[in-house]
Amino acid sequence: MKSKVIVLRGKGNKGKTTTLNLLIKKLVSLPTKILDGAISDSITDDSWVVLKYMGKTIGIITVGDDAKSLDKYFSRITISCDIYVCAARTKGSSCQYIENRFSGCIIMWQEKWSITEWSGTTELLKDLQNDANEKQASALIDAINAL
């Protein structure tokens, strides 16, 4: 069976790492076994993990700014996974790296949900961004369940 890849794609500093760390935290709060990895205590720092969830082996890395970072973190995953989850910029070396590394696999590109402009208060903007990150992390679990 071919591996499947879910790529959270978006511009820099829009919350991809935060969303993927929230995904990890949500998954480990469910009946899940951690097989390997290093999960950051901060949702804004990079993490990587391999999990067993609902009979599927899932490798998640939160980096995705460039090909070099992706290669560094993917090389840490030595367990074959059914599903890989990572981040990527909207174009450039990170996208090309994923296309090359997972050639022949099913790749699902999901755009990062974000709220970037707001005429209201800064605090409300942060709350809306946090809410978008939480909801997208839950939607990624739905995508994993569907695969």
Side-chain angles (χ1 to χ4, degrees), residues 20 23-25 27-28 32-39 47-52 58-62 73 76-77 81 83-85:
L20 293 179
L23 169 65
I24 292 168
K25 292 191 182 313
L27 284 172
V28 299
T32 303
K33 181 178 180 183
I34 298 173
L35 303 177
D36 199 5
I39 302 171
S47 299
W48 71 278
V49 68
V50 179
L51 307 166
K52 193 71 162 180
I58 304 167
I60 304 171
I61 64 170
T62 64
Y73 276 80
R76 295 177 182 178
I77 298 177
C81 297
I83 301 170
Y84 294 91
V85 182

Side-chain angles (χ1 to χ4, degrees), residues 14-129:
K14 297 300 178 197
K16 296 180 299 293
T17 295
T18 298
T19 299
L20 293 179
N21 273 315
L22 289 169
L23 169 65
I24 292 168
K25 292 191 182 313
K26 287 176 180 289
L27 284 172
V28 299
S29 73
L30 300 171
T32 303
K33 181 178 180 183
I34 298 173
L35 303 177
D36 199 5
I39 302 171
S40 173
D41 291 331
S42 168
I43 61 170
T44 58
D45 291 339
D46 288 320
S47 299
W48 71 278
V49 68
V50 179
L51 307 166
K52 193 71 162 180
Y53 167 71
M54 295 189 63
K56 301 171 187 172
T57 304
I58 304 167
I60 304 171
I61 64 170
T62 64
V63 300
D65 290 337
D66 56 59
K68 186 177 179 180
S69 298
L70 282 166
D71 191 52
K72 175 182 172 184
Y73 276 80
F74 271 119
S75 70
R76 295 177 182 178
I77 298 177
T78 59
I79 300 168
S80 180
C81 297
D82 302 306
I83 301 170
Y84 294 91
V85 182
C86 65
R89 291 286 175 97
T90 54
K91 58 184 176 181
S93 70
S94 58
C95 294
Q96 191 62 48
Y97 175 87
I98 292 164
E99 291 277 348
N100 292 337
R101 181 178 182 105
F102 295 103
S103 175
C105 295
I106 297 168
I107 303 173
M108 177 189 353
W109 299 89
Q110 186 171 110
E111 296 300 317
K112 174 65 185 93
W113 303 346
S114 63
I115 300 165
T116 56
E117 295 182 26
W118 177 260
S119 60
T121 66
T122 304
E123 204 54 44
L124 184 54
L125 175 61
K126 288 180 184 175
D127 290 345
L128 291 169
Q129 288 169 332

